[in-house]
Amino acid sequence: QAWIYNELGRVDFARPDREDSSHLTQAQQYTNRGLNLFAEMRHRYGVAYCRMLLGQVSFRRGHKNDASRLLAEAVDTFQNCGDPWIEAEATRLLATVRTSQDRSREAIRLLDNAATTFAGLDDRSSLGTVRLQRITSRWPSAARALHVATDRIGAGRSGKR
């Protein structure tokens, strides 16, 4: 049942953004239920999965400190659970938050750790994501300018068709 609540939270989190944040509230409620059930079972791996999702929800809501804390707790737990892929993914997500907190050096260190793990697992897709994220973490102002430029180009193309 705990995994079901975590997955329900994931589904609500993945819904497209709406004008209100009701899907985030629902995601948080489901995930907290899952977290409580995992905690009762002393299932640290499940608790870490829930914390990772709650960190993502917090970040999307703009609660960077909560997101940072939750994701750091998830990473710490995953380091002891023997699942290197999810540890690297949680590390990548934590780096996203740290970049937004103007902690780019720490974010780059985290991304380098995630890249090493993804490379060792031969996960080229995740490795590419981390490499791109590392570039944008190192030069956030250049990344914002690139994003604005590509948005304008994309808007221009769609307007002509």
Side-chain angles (χ1 to χ4, degrees):
Q1 201 175 32
W3 283 115
I4 291 170
Y5 280 123
N6 183 63
E7 287 304 311
L8 288 170
R10 226 172 251 303
V11 167
D12 276 323
F13 178 74
R15 287 187 181 172
D17 289 336
R18 302 182 197 157
E19 288 183 22
D20 65 6
S21 61
S22 62
H23 66 294
L24 295 177
T25 300
Q26 191 64 50
Q28 185 175 16
Q29 289 171 349
Y30 281 134
T31 307
N32 276 325
R33 287 183 197 157
L35 178 90
N36 290 334
L37 290 171
F38 281 126
E40 287 174 15
M41 294 185 283
R42 295 192 170 130
H43 192 296
R44 294 177 343 145
Y45 186 72
V47 167
Y49 255 95
C50 290
R51 284 187 177 140
M52 187 170 77
L53 182 54
L54 289 169
Q56 291 173 278
V57 170
S58 293
F59 184 64
R60 190 168 291 168
R61 287 186 154 168
H63 305 285
K64 295 176 186 179
N65 291 335
D66 290 338
S68 184
R69 178 184 52 78
L70 288 160
L71 289 166
E73 289 171 0
V75 169
D76 287 344
T77 301
F78 286 137
Q79 288 173 341
N80 298 312
C81 289
D83 186 343
W85 188 91
I86 197 62
E87 177 188 339
E89 179 62 10
T91 300
R92 184 189 69 76
L93 293 169
L94 178 57
T96 301
V97 175
R98 298 286 164 87
T99 298
S100 75
Q101 294 174 312
D102 294 326
R103 296 165 70 178
S104 61
R105 285 187 185 186
E106 185 178 355
I108 289 169
R109 181 187 56 78
L110 291 166
L111 291 168
D112 287 345
N113 291 343
T116 300
T117 301
F118 287 135
L121 296 171
D122 198 30
D123 183 347
R124 293 179 184 172
S125 176
S126 296
L127 181 58
T129 299
V130 167
R131 286 179 175 163
L132 181 61
Q133 188 174 344
R134 190 181 190 286
I135 291 168
T136 60
S137 293
R138 186 166 180 130
W139 296 291
S141 59
R144 282 190 293 275
L146 178 63
H147 180 70
V148 168
T150 56
D151 280 353
R152 288 183 182 157
I153 291 169
R157 285 186 184 156
S158 65
K160 291 180 183 177
R161 293 183 183 184

